[in-house]
Amino acid sequence: MSDYTNETGKPTGLPEKIQHYINGTFVDSIDGDTFEVLNPVTNQPYITAASGKREDIEAAVAAANDAFKNGPWPGMLPRERARVLTKIADIVESREQQLAEMESYDSGLPITQAKGQARRAAENFRFFADLIVAQSDDTFKVPGRQVNYVNRKPIGVAGLITPWNTPFMLESWKLAPALATGNTVVLKPAEFTPLSASLWAGIFEEAGLPAGVFNLVNGFGETAGDALVKHPDVPLISFTGESKTGQIIFANSAPFLKGLSMELGGKSPAVVFDDADLETAINATIFGVFSLNGERCTAGSRILVQRSIYDEFVERYAAQAKRVKVGLPSDPATEVGALVHPEHFEKVMSYVEIGKTEGRLVAGGGRPEGFEEGNFVQPTVFADVAPDARIFQEEIFGPVVAITPFDTDEEALELANNTKYGLAAYIWTSNLQRAHNFSHAVEAGMVWLNSNNVRDLRTPFGGVKASGLGHEGGYRSIDFYTDQQAVHINLGEVHNPVFGKVD
């Protein structure tokens, strides 16, 4: 056992309650309201969190706005901000074990997978610390006549609304570039998993981030999230979550013409051609849908397999899925833990039942033996799934996969594009020409060729169709969180047609 965990598996050092963090101080909700946070292994409440409303959001936005207009952060040199971001990264990495155990306990994520989240979060801060120091902007010259250059400026208060899957790491995706570019922020974490977000305040204080630059309001999307989206002093909203929620945010932001970056749902295809390395493809597609409990936006939850290898693939895939270890999140041997919340568990199980009428169940299909309580689901595999099936078309966001055969490249492409989503795609083939042509034609914001979901922070992250609006990552994040002002300087005789000239 680590220093942070007692014999019950519950992390030690938990706060007595989860509060908001506004202008450098932990505070309760103005109206005193709270909500209970559940342990996904037992579905019993283990802590209460302050439930933010419009008044709490107004206080947080006021603090962030004042820090932006009157505080030092936006005007600091990039190197000065980079030093703070690098220190944040060092602190995050030093607390890896504590963070992993809190994340695992709060979200049901297996502890071995939770341990990687601190390193990824730290790398996000280091990456943007480096990027803002190396950042250069365009200059355009007309020799002897004019110089034009881009003056890049932070925009103001960024509203960050984050999901409940791998929450700490996904918060870092938004916090790092927003802060690096000189903005101030109000973070509204997911109500299912608010625990790890409460660590940011202490990390930022220790790193020297000025008060008011980072503010956190817990609560529900319908109250706290809605108030943040509609606040007139929040010009930017970055949201990760469901497509339906994204539509609501889009509509509510429209009267204010806010800048929006939204990474939404996915139903990503993994296409396996008959010339693929079959063992590697099976290992990758098993990991691609069952890692992180299947609660990942880029999960390859539709596997399309060429017919000549289809029967062998299904047989081997089902056998391996049955060997995936479901267990307590705190057990290092666990590969699939508990789903985040009973509401989500019921949703996933409803799709399992739907799948039994739409495909051939070859693995899983219910609760694992020995887990009569909590949100545990067997890794579930359906074969022979038709493209009009709900489990083919709709995002399940759990350890459930649909396998469908195809004959030709053209049919595979039609099947791959046959959903409203377009976040990611995975292509498995040894034919180089096919790999590139297929990846260019598939409707997805990101494509991995003969590769699992390995992220390069320099590349754009985002989807098309119902999977998102805009992209973040690398310079795309810098662009989103800054205004690019064009400044024009005359070097010669003023080119100025004169109206109303005196003869």
Side-chain angles (χ1 to χ4, degrees):
M1 291 291 178
S2 77
D3 293 339
Y4 296 102
T5 305
N6 60 29
E7 65 277 2
T8 67
K10 184 175 182 178
T12 58
L14 290 177
E16 292 183 7
K17 58 184 177 180
I18 297 173
Q19 295 176 289
H20 311 310
Y21 182 77
I22 298 175
N23 203 25
T25 303
F26 284 102
V27 295
D28 294 327
S29 292
I30 290 172
D31 66 0
D33 195 16
T34 62
F35 63 92
E36 292 180 329
V37 184
L38 306 184
N39 172 7
V41 169
T42 63
N43 286 331
Q44 296 300 308
Y46 77 92
I47 200 169
T48 60
S51 185
K53 308 287 174 36
R54 181 173 57 84
E55 294 78 9
D56 303 292
I57 290 292
E58 287 179 349
V61 172
N65 206 18
D66 182 66
F68 182 76
K69 291 179 177 178
N70 303 310
W73 186 251
M76 289 169 65
L77 293 174
R79 175 67 71 187
E80 294 174 319
R81 289 202 299 268
R83 287 193 184 101
V84 176
L85 266 64
T86 301
K87 191 167 184 181
I88 290 169
D90 292 341
I91 298 167
V92 166
E93 214 161 43
S94 73
R95 298 184 185 176
E96 178 185 37
Q97 187 68 25
Q98 178 192 29
L99 168 63
E101 292 181 357
M102 285 189 173
E103 194 92 309
S104 178
Y105 189 80
D106 195 35
S107 71
L109 190 66
I111 186 66
T112 52
Q113 296 170 43
K115 282 184 178 178
Q117 304 310 310
R119 292 189 295 275
R120 293 185 67 188
E123 182 56 28
N124 286 327
F125 279 92
R126 290 200 180 97
F127 175 83
F128 284 104
D130 292 341
L131 198 61
I132 57 169
V133 172
Q135 171 73 35
S136 62
D137 288 308
D138 294 325
T139 301
F140 307 94
K141 293 186 251 185
V142 182
R145 293 182 59 185
Q146 194 175 28
V147 172
N148 315 284
Y149 68 90
V150 175
N151 176 37
R152 191 180 290 271
K153 303 188 294 184
I155 295 175
V157 180
L160 312 179
I161 303 175
T162 52
W164 44 256
N165 58 317
T166 59
F168 190 86
M169 191 275 294
L170 289 180
E171 287 154 9
S172 76
W173 274 16
K174 302 179 189 300
L175 286 166
L179 295 174
T181 47
N183 297 283
T184 58
V185 303
V186 177
L187 170 66
K188 206 296 283 184
E191 60 268 23
F192 285 176
T193 54
L195 180 60
S196 61
S198 65
L199 295 174
W200 286 117
I203 291 168
F204 290 152
E205 284 184 7
E206 187 175 337
L209 192 72
V213 174
F214 167 76
N215 303 273
L216 180 151
V217 178
N218 295 290
F220 295 88
E222 300 85 352
T223 51
D226 187 64
L228 186 58
V229 167
K230 292 177 178 176
H231 200 292
D233 292 333
V234 180
L236 292 175
I237 296 290
S238 178
F239 169 76
T240 300
E242 291 182 330
S243 297
K244 288 182 180 178
T245 307
Q247 291 173 324
I248 295 170
I249 290 173
F250 190 96
N252 288 339
S253 298
F256 306 96
L257 299 176
K258 292 177 186 266
L260 290 177
S261 176
M262 297 197 291
E263 192 261 288
L264 306 177
K267 191 70 177 176
S268 301
V271 185
V272 183
F273 289 94
D274 59 9
D275 60 351
D277 180 326
L278 198 56
E279 182 175 359
T280 302
I282 289 172
N283 287 335
T285 50
I286 286 279
F287 180 84
V289 76
F290 298 130
S291 59
L292 306 182
N293 298 344
E295 297 166 325
R296 58 186 304 164
C297 53
T298 54
S301 55
R302 292 183 298 135
I303 304 179
L304 312 177
V305 183
Q306 199 151 26
R307 198 175 300 274
S308 58
I309 60 169
Y310 180 77
D311 289 340
E312 180 185 359
F313 183 95
V314 170
E315 182 180 356
R316 290 174 61 178
Y317 190 95
Q320 190 158 332
K322 291 174 183 176
R323 296 194 297 270
V324 172
K325 180 171 174 53
V326 182
L328 294 173
S330 58
D331 184 348
T334 293
E335 294 170 324
V336 172
L339 301 189
V340 67
H341 192 274
E343 288 180 18
H344 186 60
F345 171 81
E346 292 301 330
K347 173 194 170 184
V348 172
M349 290 304 294
S350 72
Y351 275 107
V352 170
E353 293 308 309
I354 291 168
K356 292 175 182 177
T357 69
E358 293 184 330
R360 174 166 57 96
L361 179 66
V362 294
R367 277 186 176 275
E369 186 176 347
F371 292 91
E372 283 70 35
E373 65 174 9
N375 307 319
F376 294 93
V377 179
Q378 290 176 315
T380 297
V381 183
F382 292 102
D384 311 340
V385 178
D388 61 350
R390 288 185 64 186
I391 62 169
F392 187 97
Q393 291 289 337
E394 299 175 17
E395 185 178 38
I396 299 173
F397 218 66
V400 182
V401 66
I403 307 180
T404 302
F406 69 86
D407 291 297
T408 65
D409 290 32
E410 293 76 17
E411 184 185 5
L413 182 62
E414 182 181 353
L415 288 169
N417 291 341
N418 184 19
T419 71
K420 67 179 182 179
Y421 297 105
L423 188 57
Y426 307 87
I427 316 300
W428 294 91
T429 178
S430 60
N431 184 318
L432 186 62
Q433 185 179 51
R434 168 196 278 160
H436 287 288
N437 287 333
F438 197 98
S439 66
H440 296 168
V442 74
E443 294 169 350
M446 298 168 287
V447 182
W448 280 270
L449 298 176
N450 297 321
S451 169
N452 215 320
N453 187 337
V454 179
R455 175 91 193 282
D456 187 321
L457 295 179
R458 296 169 294 183
T459 60
F461 189 99
V464 299
K465 302 195 292 188
S467 287
L469 176 72
H471 290 78
E472 294 190 44
Y475 286 112
R476 283 80 178 178
S477 292
I478 302 292
D479 287 342
F480 176 69
Y481 289 106
T482 57
D483 277 328
Q484 297 176 63
Q485 179 188 57
V487 179
H488 305 277
I489 307 166
N490 185 53
L491 296 180
E493 183 180 348
V494 177
H495 176 69
N496 187 23
V498 179
F499 282 20
K501 184 176 182 180
V502 178
D503 293 331

